[in-house]
Amino acid sequence: QIVSGIPIHISYDQNKMQLMNSPDQIRDFVIQSRGKDMDANWMLASSYEFQVNMPDSVKGTVTLEFGKDQLEVVKKPNGVTLKEMQPSKIRVTADEIVETWIGIAHVPSKMKPNGDLVRFLAPQPARVKVRGPSRIVHNLQTLTLKEPDLSMPFGSTIRLQVDNPDRSSLTITPQE
């Protein structure tokens, strides 16, 4: 007998890695049942739940494979034995979370709408802390600043903000 679409949970430390792909279900599981002790809901995918436990940490970007014997059975009906699954391996790709300091590119002089020239000093701080997946962080050479608002009156302080190239994955400290 085959049960399809069984949910799977990937357990991992979000402070140490980011999942790049993770299956949310197992397509098919071949099961063997044992007569009268069997739970009446044995055919429902919701009667089953499996968990994959990722290692404590990874270095760089890695793809790991987990077979049936490496799945933790969180929930399954009584009287059911799990025989085979399709696909036979679950592939999970994860990326290490890293933290480093990255310099900020100097903002060139800008012309205000009224024609005044605004010269910017070197950004302070000159570097910011960047935290995120290694595949993104290691590709950053420098960070740029968002286009400044030049409509402020003469003598005003113009706040400059770091332009985050990947808001969903990177944390930048300080941001301005």
Side-chain angles (χ1 to χ4, degrees):
Q1 295 123 331
I2 296 176
V3 178
S4 298
I6 296 174
I8 185 164
H9 173 72
I10 310 295
S11 175
Y12 67 101
D13 186 342
Q14 295 179 1
N15 291 317
K16 294 182 179 179
M17 68 183 81
Q18 178 186 59
L19 297 184
M20 295 170 58
N21 81 312
S22 62
D24 58 357
Q25 65 181 10
I26 299 169
R27 191 177 65 226
D28 294 319
F29 233 117
V30 177
I31 64 169
Q32 179 179 352
S33 57
R34 290 193 215 121
K36 63 182 178 180
D37 293 338
M38 205 162 87
D39 191 315
N41 294 324
W42 70 271
M43 284 297 287
L44 298 175
S46 60
S47 296
Y48 301 82
E49 187 178 330
F50 297 103
Q51 179 170 305
V52 169
N53 295 312
M54 296 291 286
D56 288 338
S57 63
V58 296
K59 290 292 179 201
T61 302
V62 296
T63 298
L64 303 170
E65 292 187 340
F66 300 91
K68 176 180 75 75
D69 296 335
Q70 295 163 307
L71 297 179
E72 179 183 329
V73 179
V74 177
K75 178 173 85 170
K76 77 172 181 64
N78 290 331
V80 170
T81 303
L82 308 168
K83 290 299 207 184
E84 179 184 330
M85 71 177 190
Q86 291 300 322
S88 63
K89 298 271 187 199
I90 294 169
R91 286 178 185 81
V92 179
T93 303
D95 196 0
E96 173 186 22
I97 298 297
V98 296
E99 192 171 273
T100 190
W101 290 88
I102 296 180
I104 300 172
H106 187 274
V107 178
S109 299
K110 299 277 184 184
M111 191 69 71
K112 288 181 74 168
N114 68 0
D116 290 344
L117 182 65
V118 177
R119 293 178 207 259
F120 292 97
L121 303 174
Q124 292 296 320
R127 298 181 328 146
V128 291
K129 190 185 313 184
V130 179
R131 177 179 170 77
S134 66
R135 72 185 186 287
I136 298 172
V137 172
H138 292 314
N139 285 327
L140 294 174
Q141 302 300 315
T142 59
L143 292 170
T144 58
L145 295 168
K146 290 182 180 178
E147 192 65 33
D149 176 9
L150 299 179
S151 64
M152 306 292 281
F154 180 76
S156 298
T157 300
I158 298 174
R159 290 203 165 283
L160 300 176
Q161 286 193 323
V162 176
D163 189 16
N164 187 337
D166 190 336
R167 289 190 179 282
S168 64
S169 298
L170 297 177
T171 304
I172 298 173
T173 310
Q175 293 183 351
E176 58 176 51

